[in-house]
Amino acid sequence: MTRAHSRADALLVVDVQRGLVAGPRAIAGADALLARLTDLLAAARGAGVPILHLQDAGNDPDSRIPHGSRSWELALSVGDSELVIHKDRDDGFEGTALAERLADAGVRRLCVVGIQSEMCVAATARGATRRGYTVVLPRDGHATYDIPADGDAPGVPAALVSRVAEWSLGDAIVAPERTRDVVFGPCDD
């Protein structure tokens, strides 16, 4: 894969909220993910591309990130020109103004990163591809939880869950190995 294939003209950060990256309910490898996403945000900001943050509304009664709590807050800084879009569903496009905001900005190639690989990240990536966006999903830019053993079903390490979630998206996405492989700027294709 060439770096041109890893080019994106916008960054979408999915559900990187305090209660998912800190404390006893943090995802596996949270500190390393936050460091990579901080660097990715700096690259996107330096390139001047649109940056959008999705924030789970936290309205489910058993939510790990109840609305309005400290755990619900975004864990990464949001720049003055960046948008925060609250969502109630896994797919960040459903029931939100995300598609309109991306269309207004002329986005065609969208880098998607965040939490949980098999849930909101995968659902939003599918929503983007259904709407005609090229999705760049760096392999080290999303993470999730270990799946615990349940009866006869074995547990599954978080890294495998993330890899399977990416794999389930098939050829619809571009999957560079590292967030540092993503290049932000206008796309020619």
Side-chain angles (χ1 to χ4, degrees), residues 36-101:
R36 289 188 300 271
L37 296 185
T38 297
D39 290 346
L40 190 67
L41 275 165
R45 289 171 178 147
V49 300
I51 299 170
L52 302 96
H53 301 260
L54 292 178
Q55 185 175 22
D56 186 288
N59 291 329
D60 292 335
D62 57 347
S63 177
R64 294 177 188 210
I65 48 173
H67 186 86
S69 69
R70 179 151 171 76
S71 63
W72 176 77
E73 296 171 358
L74 293 175
L76 298 167
S77 66
V78 176
D80 292 337
S81 64
E82 299 168 14
L83 295 175
V84 176
I85 298 174
H86 299 122
K87 64 181 190 59
D88 289 314
R89 299 182 185 114
D90 287 351
D91 181 349
F93 287 91
E94 289 185 29
T96 72
L98 179 57
E100 292 83 8
R101 299 296 177 257

Side-chain angles (χ1 to χ4, degrees), residues 4-154:
H5 289 109
S6 298
R7 182 171 291 281
D9 52 3
L11 175 61
L12 180 61
V13 182
V14 180
D15 298 348
V16 180
Q17 293 169 253
R18 292 185 190 280
L20 304 178
V21 295
R25 293 185 164 190
I27 56 159
D31 290 340
L33 177 68
L34 286 174
R36 289 188 300 271
L37 296 185
T38 297
D39 290 346
L40 190 67
L41 275 165
R45 289 171 178 147
V49 300
I51 299 170
L52 302 96
H53 301 260
L54 292 178
Q55 185 175 22
D56 186 288
N59 291 329
D60 292 335
D62 57 347
S63 177
R64 294 177 188 210
I65 48 173
H67 186 86
S69 69
R70 179 151 171 76
S71 63
W72 176 77
E73 296 171 358
L74 293 175
L76 298 167
S77 66
V78 176
D80 292 337
S81 64
E82 299 168 14
L83 295 175
V84 176
I85 298 174
H86 299 122
K87 64 181 190 59
D88 289 314
R89 299 182 185 114
D90 287 351
D91 181 349
F93 287 91
E94 289 185 29
T96 72
L98 179 57
E100 292 83 8
R101 299 296 177 257
L102 294 172
D104 290 348
V107 172
R108 294 182 4 224
R109 291 180 67 93
L110 181 61
C111 178
V112 178
V113 295
I115 301 171
Q116 287 179 256
S117 301
E118 77 285 14
M119 302 290 284
C120 298
V121 172
T124 300
R126 279 189 191 93
T129 59
R130 278 194 306 270
R131 289 166 176 82
Y133 295 97
T134 298
V135 172
V136 177
L137 183 71
R139 289 188 169 146
D140 68 349
H142 58 96
T144 194
Y145 295 94
D146 293 333
I147 296 175
D150 185 17
D152 290 338

